[in-house]
Amino acid sequence: MLNTQIATLNRQVGVETQSVYDLRTNIDTDDAQIAQIQSRYNAAQQEADARARAIYMAGPANSLTTLLTSSSLTDFIDKTQLWEVAAQLDARVIIRSSRLRQALVTEQQALSASKAALVAKEGSLAARADVGRSALTVNAQLT
């Protein structure tokens, strides 16, 4: 009977060991994804910062001056459309940066959850291994 329980416990330890291995693999994958997203976020944030700096340096009067110096109504409409397109592009840069930041936070939360699960599984595995060693010791003393 004790041998059956020891065998069952050994199978459970094997399952827990595989679970720990799987969690470590997930953590490695999450780390790689975080590094990739962080790199993309940094690039997007630099682009957004550069665009914001350029807008600030140009100042609000620059766009107004450009429009007021139009040579015709058609020129004025063309310049207005150009400023609208530029504003849309600026918004896209900011939105992209924001989305990447959110993706980064989400991945970091997933990584934290995986690490917490790993710690719990390692604790469970260690406890089962201790019970298994104790059972083997008792079994050896009985035989």
Side-chain angles (χ1 to χ4, degrees), residues 81-95:
Q81 289 175 344
L82 181 65
W83 281 105
E84 287 175 7
V85 169
Q88 289 172 356
L89 292 175
D90 292 341
R92 286 183 187 152
V93 167
I94 292 168
I95 289 169

Side-chain angles (χ1 to χ4, degrees), residues 45-112:
Q45 191 60 44
Q46 286 177 350
E47 184 180 355
D49 289 347
R51 189 64 195 125
R53 193 171 17 265
I55 291 169
Y56 175 78
M57 295 302 284
N62 189 29
S63 59
L64 185 58
T65 303
T66 301
L67 293 175
L68 293 177
T69 58
S70 299
S71 59
S72 66
L73 182 58
T74 304
D75 188 30
F76 180 83
I77 292 171
D78 288 346
K79 288 179 180 179
T80 302
Q81 289 175 344
L82 181 65
W83 281 105
E84 287 175 7
V85 169
Q88 289 172 356
L89 292 175
D90 292 341
R92 286 183 187 152
V93 167
I94 292 168
I95 289 169
R96 181 172 161 245
S97 176
S98 177
R99 287 183 179 157
L100 285 169
R101 177 70 182 142
Q102 184 56 45
L104 185 60
V105 168
T106 301
E107 284 298 322
Q108 288 171 334
Q109 289 170 344
L111 178 61
S112 293

Side-chain angles (χ1 to χ4, degrees), residues 1-14 135-136:
M1 170 129 165
L2 187 57
N3 285 336
T4 304
Q5 290 174 339
I6 290 172
T8 300
L9 189 59
N10 283 337
R11 279 192 300 278
Q12 290 172 347
V13 167
L136 286 172

Side-chain angles (χ1 to χ4, degrees), residues 17-36:
T17 301
Q18 182 62 43
S19 180
V20 165
Y21 173 78
D22 292 344
L23 282 169
R24 286 185 178 151
T25 301
N26 288 345
I27 287 171
D28 291 344
T29 300
D30 286 348
D31 278 335
Q33 287 176 338
I34 286 172
Q36 181 184 30

